[in-house]
Structures are given as structure tokens and as C-alpha cells.
Amino acid sequence: MNPTGPAPAPITADALPLPLRVPLIHGETTLSFLSRTATANGRELPELLGALADTGLELPEEGGPAPQREEFLLPAEGLARLAALVQREPEQLTRALPSTHPDRLSDIETARIEPWPEELGAGPLPACPLCMEPGAWLAAAGHRWRPCPCGRRWMAGDDGGYLVDTGPVPELGRALHRHRDLVHRLGPTGDALLADAHQVMLWWWVTIPRRRGPGRSHGRSAADAWHEREDALGMTRHRRRAAPVVVYPEAVTLAELMWKWEERRRKRRGAAADAWIEDVVAQLVPAGALSRQERAPLDYWLEQHRPELAARPKGRTATDRRWNRLPALHQRPTEPGPFRAPSCLMWVYGLPLTATTAVCPRCNGRAPSCRWVPYPGCTGRPKR
């Protein structure tokens, strides 16, 4: 980045009139919001950024600031200036723009432009142009992908961000409806189980040879269905990018079966895991069998969701009690909706399933949380 030089006198909202207000998009990045505001009012983005900084900003060397590459961070006292500039109440901005939340503002000393980290799940998601606005970007908050609420696009932050038009595969829209129903009935527990099921399906997508998935002996296999969806979506040359999307219907089916297991282990101790595996086979495996490799992610899941409950779960509401039955690795989401809860299965799509790039120093990679990548909240060595 290059410094812009000595800072000019701060430009007030009166000196930089912006007659057109763009709609607020929940979850949008601050730089994206300012970029849309500048475009709507025929202004240059650096001009707006300069009006919000007390000192000279360092701008990217090439291409200028871009929401898909950077975020604009403000100190606490900058929120009032931003609100005056865009003619909004500060509370409106803090509800819509995650980077202006008080917890984030308190960590910033001066206004600055900061590149998005390169870690998976850090980069922003391109917003759906059909129900939001073209060119808008959403803060990922650790989530690498999710379906748009309108159901017509999937938004992904990997590889610099991309959108998938789900129109050619109606199954995806129906899967979103079932996902929402699960969350409506079970609260965040339903979304957490979907996150687990999605991890299992991505494991299968990576490890199962094409045209030889579960059910390869009788009927159409899951791998066949995924291959056909990839082609229908026009993702033949980008199958890796399409994987999180095409496995979605089977992930919802598995999440519903996972809830049946949760109910089974709640009602009686020593619930038979093999009987639940048979349910999974009946729903998802036409051949009626799972290889050891295909069953492995389900075994990892059952290892954490054990039938032996230590005590009756606590909670004032049924939603709280359902959540408190889940293992400790499930982190309760801060926002409602699909794909907001993280999974307790810690492998990372895009990284090897059989090797780690680093070993957790606390458990030596033996804890369920650290078998693939070291987890900051390591649960320690598993109990015998």
C-alpha cells in the first residue's frame, strides 16, 4: 500500500453531499456499503474514505480499494462521522454492518484499510445480485458458503468469491426449504446438525471415486447424482467449487436422520448406533452397505454424539435443552438462519483428510477437535 500523503482537513458530511441513500444489507462489509454509496452518488470511493479518516489512509498500490479484497475499519469515534456522511442512525449501521459493531470498533485506534486474511472462511461472500444488489459483499464470519435466502444463488468466499445459479437444479431450492423447516422446529440445533451432515457429505465427495459412490451396485449412487448436478449447474470445469452446493440435498436428509439419533439417545441409554447406521443406509445408500472409508465420518460423529448422557440437559426452554445435549465442540451461532452454526467435525474441505499441516501440542492430534488441524479450544486427550 502507498500512503496518500499529508492528510487534508477532514471533509464534513455537509461538504460532501450524498443525496442518494443505498439500502442497508444485513451482514454487508463496510467497504462494500461505501463502494455502493459512492457509485450511486457519482463519487470516487477514496473521496468517501478520506472524509471518514482523521489522517491519511494507505490505499492499495494497484486498482484502489476493493470490497472483495479489503475491509474499511473505523475507530469508535468514526461511527458518528459515518452515520452523518450516509444520513443514517448509528444504530442502523451497527445492526447491518458487522465491522461497525461496538466490539469491533473498540479494537481500532485509527481508520484504516485492511486486507482480508487468507485463511479459509475469512474472505467475504459475493451477495446475491437478484435480491440484494450487484457488487455487494457480505462478511463471511468464518463461514465459507451459504445459500442466499431467496434460494436462487449460493454464495461462496473461496477463490476470491463466486456465485452459483441454483435455478437449473430445483432440488437445491427444496433442500433449502427443508433446512429452514429443520431450523424452525429445532432452533440452532437443527442448523448444527446440518453443518455436521454437510461435513460428512463433503468427506464422501472427496473420498468416493466418481461413478462409484454408495449404492454403486444397485441404483443411482450419490456420486452419480452429484456429477449430474455439477453438469446441470454449468460447473463441469469447476467441480471442486460446486461440491458444497451439490451435496446439499443429501446433507439435509442426513441432518434429519441425525436428529432421529439425538431423540433416540435422549430417550434411552445405550441406544444402538448400528440401528441408526441402518437408517442412514436405507435413506442414502441404495446398495445397502457402506465401506469402511464411507462409514468413517459417521463413526467420528457418533464418537462425539454418544448415547450415554452424563446428566439431564439444563435449560429454561426446549430450544436450550436441545442445544445443551450437543457435544462441547458445537459453538452456538450468534445469528439465526441456515449455515450459521459450525460443525463438531473439524476436517477442512480443501485440506487433506489423512494428514495435518500441524499437530496440536496439547493432545498430539488425538482429540476429536484436533485430528486434522489444531483447534484453539482443544478438548484434550479423549477419555478411555
Side-chain angles (χ1 to χ4, degrees):
M1 291 187 177
N2 288 330
T4 59
I11 303 174
T12 65
D14 292 337
L16 185 61
L18 301 173
L20 298 181
R21 295 199 313 176
V22 299
L24 289 171
I25 297 175
H26 183 75
E28 188 177 13
T29 73
T30 302
L31 190 59
S32 173
F33 172 66
L34 288 170
S35 177
R36 291 193 298 116
T37 300
T39 300
N41 287 277
R43 296 282 187 174
E44 296 294 328
L45 178 56
E47 190 178 14
L48 272 65
L49 300 177
L52 297 169
D54 290 324
T55 60
L57 285 173
E58 290 188 354
L59 299 177
E61 295 180 358
E62 297 181 4
Q68 65 267 39
R69 297 193 303 267
E70 295 102 13
E71 175 61 312
F72 182 59
L73 302 177
L74 282 168
E77 60 271 16
L79 179 60
R81 185 178 294 178
L82 173 61
L85 182 68
V86 300
Q87 304 171 58
R88 295 280 187 178
E89 294 298 323
E91 293 77 14
Q92 291 180 301
L93 298 178
T94 56
R95 286 195 298 267
L97 310 178
S99 292
T100 65
H101 191 274
D103 292 342
R104 293 292 308 276
L105 296 176
S106 62
D107 296 331
I108 308 301
E109 296 182 357
T110 59
R112 68 176 186 266
I113 296 173
E114 189 170 280
W116 291 105
E118 296 183 358
E119 289 84 3
L120 294 172
L125 311 177
C128 173
L130 302 180
C131 65
M132 299 182 200
E133 280 201 2
W137 291 80
L138 308 179
H143 302 286
R144 297 166 60 185
W145 46 67
R146 64 174 178 264
C148 178
C150 74
R152 295 179 290 174
R153 294 291 186 274
W154 263 66
M155 307 173 289
D158 287 4
D159 301 330
Y162 60 92
L163 291 162
V164 178
D165 178 2
T166 60
V169 183
E171 293 170 88
L172 297 173
R174 292 193 290 269
L176 176 58
H177 179 77
R178 292 164 57 203
H179 187 171
R180 284 174 173 160
D181 180 67
L182 196 66
V183 174
H184 178 73
R185 288 188 290 115
L186 306 180
T189 298
D191 197 48
L193 295 177
L194 193 287
D196 290 345
H198 198 248
Q199 283 285 84
V200 173
M201 288 301 131
L202 286 175
W203 175 295
W204 282 6
W205 189 93
V206 169
T207 59
I208 295 170
R210 193 61 57 193
R211 302 285 179 183
R212 291 188 56 218
R216 54 184 173 269
S217 300
H218 302 89
R220 189 178 69 155
S221 72
D224 289 336
W226 298 337
H227 194 280
E228 292 171 8
R229 290 174 195 155
E230 291 158 7
D231 291 343
L233 294 172
M235 303 288 283
T236 303
R237 299 181 61 184
H238 302 283
R239 297 189 188 278
R240 180 183 61 82
R241 289 185 177 183
V245 184
V246 300
V247 303
Y248 188 39
E250 286 73 26
V252 178
T253 298
L254 180 56
E256 293 166 343
L257 292 169
M258 286 175 166
W259 173 242
K260 289 185 178 180
W261 170 254
E262 290 296 310
E263 286 283 84
R264 190 177 299 177
R265 77 186 184 104
R266 177 183 68 86
K267 293 177 180 178
R268 61 180 184 271
R269 293 180 179 272
D274 286 341
W276 178 76
I277 292 287
E278 290 177 3
D279 291 343
V280 175
V281 168
Q283 291 277 348
L284 294 171
V285 188
L290 283 173
S291 71
R292 181 177 179 181
Q293 184 187 51
E294 293 159 2
R295 176 166 169 156
L298 299 175
D299 289 333
Y300 287 124
W301 186 78
L302 288 167
E303 182 181 334
Q304 295 195 65
H305 293 249
R306 296 177 181 274
E308 297 82 11
L309 295 177
R312 186 173 181 177
K314 298 179 180 180
R316 297 181 60 184
T317 67
T319 297
D320 291 338
R321 290 190 291 274
R322 278 193 293 266
W323 180 266
N324 290 333
R325 288 206 304 268
L326 298 179
L329 277 179
H330 277 290
Q331 302 291 322
R332 191 158 187 163
T334 57
E335 294 187 6
F339 276 99
R340 298 293 184 175
S343 173
C344 70
L345 303 176
M346 309 300 284
W347 53 82
V348 180
Y349 176 64
L351 297 181
L353 295 174
T354 56
T356 58
T357 55
V359 177
C360 175
R362 182 178 177 188
C363 70
N364 200 30
R366 296 182 180 179
S369 59
C370 307
R371 284 178 175 152
W372 291 268
V373 292
Y375 179 59
C378 174
T379 57
R381 294 174 182 269
K383 296 180 181 179
R384 293 185 177 275

